[in-house]
Amino acid sequence: MRKVMKKAGVLVLAAALMTGGLLGCAKEEGKEGGASPSAAPIGSDITKEKPIEISWLSFDFPEKDGNLVQTWMEQKFNVKITNMRIDRSNWRDQLNIRLATNDVPDVWLLWGVADVEAYSKQGLLTELPIDEIKAELPELAQFIDSSDPDAWNNGKIGGKNYGVPITNLDGIYPVSPVYNGKWLEAIGYKEPPKTLAELEDVLYKFRNNDPDGNGKKDTYGLTIKGKSNLGDAAPAIFGAFGIHPMYWQPNANGKLEYGMTTEQAREGFRLLNKWFKDGVLDPEFITADGKKEEFVNGIVGMSDTSWTYIRPNGSTTQLAEKKGFNVVTGKALEGPSGPGKLLAYGLTSNYIGMGIDVEKDPAKKKKIYEILRSFYSDKDSMLFSQFGEEGVHYTMENGKPVAKKEYQPKEEQTKLGLGNYYGLFSRKTLDFEKVLYNDEDLAYRKQASEGVELLIDKVKFSIPSLANYPDLKNMEKEYFIKFITGDVDLNQGFDQFVDKWKKAGGQVVTDEANQLYEQNRKN
């Protein structure tokens, strides 16, 4: 654990730090290579060199030291792990107390770019140059370079990098439009709509043609998370115009534009406004806190969601089956200018940082990279960190690890150190997915993703000036709703919104976003 001179400002951390989403999971059979493919037997003397001491901060911590995975790591890598235990329910409060006493972890889970920015600016994180990460973690580098190379830029602060991306594998697959298969059949469709015009026909028939056969006009085409998350609002509709209102994308001149200020957004809102006036869009969308519930409960016939929920073994699929209908997955909708796009969340959300003392200890930094690479690229290391010892804690059935009954409860796994506390990288490579996912689910994902162009937000990095304009987001949400309901018209009213948004700070934010975007790509 790091003991250093107290730094000014350690106690003052940004109260508005954004907590990153839960770590995404994905898996597949691994390549041989990377770190040593198998652990030395626990209790063996693998070296006479003094172990490197590493303090470790992550979530779902084991209650006791000397647990199974910790002991295995210490034997395998010749290290001594000190577990830093912080409860997720008040993570930052507890961490601030530790930092105030100069207790800084060597391996540090960072909940998103806001954490990277806050702690790097306090001088608590070691710089981790991209080229260094690529050299030490080549398998991770190859995956990012081939899937979403802009992801390297998302964690940079002032042109410097302080975190290793914890890749969210689900983020490179589309948020797909899905339909009530029973309703589609009832209105005469044998396959999901492929164009905006077909979609409109489907949605109007979902509203007007009694698709559930109960003799009542109580069904709608779609709804929107008007209350909780406009970032997920109508992605397939806006994607047909090539944008999403809450995403930044380059325009024809290569300059970033905020989606809600574009002409494509105006046209998307125009369509949603028409559907709202005609009663096709659920009028309760303004206060809706979810979409899955309305979809599986037979209120609306269209939704959109991540593949993990609508795969054959996904929760939405199973709920729909209990309600008596099948989920039909569609592709991007062709819009006025040609093929559309589907929203994807992108590879980055959380990061692994290294505390500032690691900067002074090249051997420790090298060892941390070695451990991370082993979890990321070596199948045996991945299996041990997630499932324990084969034959003792799990068995292999049809090539898949299955925990023994007594070790299936999460609390039993946590006691052993299994899961995310040490194995932050263990489920983050496509190479292990065949081991960890059902073959049927993977086949579904491949089919749902084929031929789909993804729409990924180009600005997931920090824009410092945003903090100076906290009212921008409230303005966006207000007008988002009013454009759809018709309280603000989409001719002069939309132009006035764009002008107001720019004058309220949007132009400053746009200029800085473009400046940082170019700077990050050059560094």
Side-chain angles (χ1 to χ4, degrees), residues 198 270 416 455 478 506:
E198 287 183 357
R270 203 182 296 281
L416 297 170
L455 182 69
E478 175 189 352

Side-chain angles (χ1 to χ4, degrees), residues 387-432:
F387 299 97
E389 186 176 350
E390 184 177 1
V392 177
H393 305 101
Y394 75 96
T395 58
M396 295 298 290
E397 298 179 14
N398 299 318
K400 317 286 182 185
V402 178
K404 290 190 174 182
K405 186 175 181 179
E406 60 268 36
Y407 298 113
Q408 289 180 3
K410 183 176 175 61
E411 57 269 23
E412 294 301 319
Q413 297 175 18
T414 301
K415 288 178 184 178
L416 297 170
L418 300 172
N420 289 315
Y421 186 78
Y422 304 107
L424 285 167
F425 258 24
S426 291
R427 293 173 177 260
K428 301 303 175 184
T429 171
L430 294 174
D431 293 333
F432 299 150

